[in-house]
Amino acid sequence: MTLRKVNVVILILLAVAFLIIVQRNLLSLSDFLHKESPDPGMVLPFEAELSPDVRLDLERKGEEIPVLIPAAEDRLGAVIAAMNSVYQNSKANVVFTIVTLNDTVDHLRTWLSQTKLKNVKHKVIIFNPDLLDGKMPKDPRTAETSKPLTFARFYLPLFIPEAERAIYLDDDIIVQGDIQELYEANLKPGHAAAFSEDCDSASSKGFVRGAGHQDNYIGFLDFKKESIKKLGMRANTCSFNPGVIIANLTEWRKQNITQQLEHWMELNTREDLYSKTLAESVTTPPLLIVFYKRHSSIDPLWHVRHLGTMGAGNRYSPQFVNAAKLLHWNGHYKPWGRASSFSEVWDKWFIPDPTGRFYPVRRHSD
């Protein structure tokens, strides 16, 4: 064999060896990216992951309907009941985004995986409370309303980055209608969200206001503060309830709604714009400011509320409650507690906790 042929053979062998090395590196890189690259949520100020025990219901096709719901450990049974009511009353392709804290994840996954909700599409997101640093007042009177998960609704586009529209639900809700109807409700051009007005709905009829139960802006904001005065808002403007939100996430992002909400949260820590108002809410006021005269309205039957207040059983007839498409037990009396109205409606959708850690209190009272 001539020297020239030997050189050619050596070059060929080197080329083959080089290609083998490149192939192995590419495979290793692909495997690394598959295993190690963070979920898109990881670049945000919280941790997100698809629950490994999620089972896809292949019979449900069509456009996905994203529904976000917060899940606190001491109210986990409410989340399960709400999800079950949404799922059982619709054939739509619903995908739940469940926002919770790290110490609740295992309990939540066990409950979902060992019950009939195991086939429900869902994503679990672990909320990082550090996200609220510098945005919360240090007032002990607001401790209940300033629990981290109550602010999940402020970050809808971050939790559901791929969606153009989404629904937010509080956990103390039962849905009796088809959630697709709510999802497809019309929002006016340029509006990033739709809410239920507090003054002109079936829920406000016969409702007696009191401390903590307000239906206009002055009950939520301190109009003596200069920062509020400058906005030029009318104090008697009807407020809205953010326990149910239809969000146009495209507009939400375009208008930087989350950043606007955070601005008012931070300003409140310095100027006390709403922490000491009659409503004693720290969640609703920023939304009232940002969405002043810039939101659409939800059909009253899609947010029948105040079921958790005293006298709800006298305010609503059983026939009306049965006809409502969405029920909300906002107020002190929850349907898993001892003294709630229409708790039997909630009971229909509750799924017992396989771990035995959560149970309706009234079932274990003497």
Side-chain angles (χ1 to χ4, degrees):
M1 184 179 293
T2 65
L3 181 61
R4 184 177 181 181
K5 289 183 178 179
V6 170
N7 289 337
V8 170
V9 171
I10 292 173
L11 288 174
I12 292 173
L13 291 174
L14 288 173
V16 170
F18 175 77
L19 290 174
I20 291 173
I21 292 171
V22 169
Q23 182 186 34
R24 287 181 177 177
N25 286 339
L26 287 174
L27 288 173
S28 297
L29 177 61
S30 175
D31 187 58
F32 171 79
L33 291 173
H34 177 71
K35 293 181 179 179
E36 301 297 335
S37 78
D39 186 278
M42 293 294 287
V43 302
L44 305 174
F46 56 83
E47 298 177 1
E49 59 182 29
L50 268 176
S51 176
D53 55 3
V54 65
R55 314 294 205 277
L56 301 184
D57 187 340
L58 299 179
E59 295 181 0
R60 300 204 175 197
K61 300 178 181 178
E63 181 183 2
E64 289 187 351
I65 297 180
V67 176
L68 186 144
I69 186 167
E73 176 66 28
D74 60 341
R75 299 162 65 107
L76 206 50
V79 177
I80 297 298
M83 289 178 61
N84 190 34
S85 70
V86 170
Y87 186 73
Q88 299 297 335
N89 284 308
S90 177
K91 296 299 183 184
N93 188 14
V94 179
V95 180
F96 291 98
T97 296
I98 310 167
V99 182
T100 190
L101 298 177
N102 195 51
D103 58 1
T104 304
V105 173
D106 289 342
H107 188 188
L108 172 64
R109 285 178 174 164
T110 298
W111 207 330
L112 291 173
S113 64
Q114 295 186 17
T115 64
K116 60 184 177 182
L117 292 181
K118 64 184 179 182
N119 292 324
V120 176
K121 294 180 183 178
H122 67 277
K123 180 173 67 174
V124 176
I125 290 180
I126 303 172
F127 188 89
N128 183 354
D130 292 343
L131 182 61
L132 303 176
D133 284 353
K135 303 180 184 72
M136 295 304 307
K138 300 185 183 303
D139 187 340
R141 292 178 302 173
T142 62
E144 182 64 28
T145 54
S146 63
K147 290 184 177 180
L149 295 176
T150 192
F151 294 97
R153 71 198 87 191
F154 286 15
Y155 298 96
L156 285 170
L158 301 183
F159 293 141
I160 316 176
E162 70 284 357
E164 296 182 1
R165 177 179 278 223
I167 293 173
Y168 168 85
L169 299 178
D170 272 349
D171 59 6
D172 51 354
I173 276 173
I174 289 296
V175 174
Q176 300 186 133
D178 187 337
I179 198 73
Q180 186 159 2
E181 180 184 335
L182 181 65
Y183 180 76
E184 294 176 349
N186 290 325
L187 271 67
K188 294 180 180 178
H191 284 182
F195 305 93
S196 295
E197 302 283 348
D198 285 331
C199 311
D200 58 359
S201 70
S203 296
S204 64
K205 187 177 181 180
F207 184 70
V208 180
R209 285 191 300 152
H213 298 30
Q214 307 299 316
D215 63 8
N216 54 37
Y217 270 50
I218 199 170
F220 291 88
L221 298 165
D222 187 347
F223 277 80
K224 296 178 182 179
K225 302 289 185 177
E226 192 62 29
S227 295
I228 299 298
K229 286 182 181 179
K230 288 180 180 178
L231 295 174
M233 300 184 300
R234 294 176 62 90
N236 64 349
T237 300
C238 182
S239 56
F240 54 76
N241 185 296
V244 177
I245 305 173
I246 308 171
N248 179 335
L249 298 182
T250 301
E251 282 293 335
W252 193 295
R253 297 183 188 98
K254 180 180 177 181
Q255 298 176 30
N256 294 316
I257 297 296
T258 296
Q259 289 75 14
Q260 291 187 57
L261 293 168
E262 289 183 321
H263 165 74
W264 287 104
M265 291 170 70
E266 292 169 355
L267 197 59
N268 179 60
T269 64
R270 300 193 298 269
E271 301 183 14
D272 207 10
L273 303 177
Y274 49 76
S275 302
K276 297 177 182 177
T277 54
L278 288 174
E280 297 182 350
S281 171
V282 294
T283 310
T284 303
L287 291 162
L288 293 178
I289 295 172
V290 172
F291 287 103
Y292 179 73
K293 302 291 187 182
R294 296 171 58 199
H295 67 274
S296 298
S297 297
I298 292 176
D299 181 336
L301 285 179
W302 268 106
H303 196 178
V304 173
R305 51 203 179 279
H306 306 309
L307 272 70
T309 59
M310 188 173 295
N314 297 323
R315 187 178 311 116
Y316 302 125
S317 69
Q319 293 78 13
F320 176 76
V321 169
N322 288 334
K325 296 182 179 181
L326 184 149
L327 302 170
H328 188 185
W329 279 265
N330 59 311
H332 294 295
Y333 305 104
K334 302 303 181 185
W336 56 90
R338 286 193 176 91
S340 169
S341 298
F342 303 108
S343 57
E344 69 282 358
V345 177
W346 184 86
D347 282 345
K348 291 192 302 183
W349 304 106
F350 175 69
I351 301 173
D353 182 0
T355 72
R357 291 157 62 183
F358 181 99
Y359 50 82
V361 175
R362 64 183 178 280
R363 295 184 182 178
H364 288 69
S365 58
D366 295 330

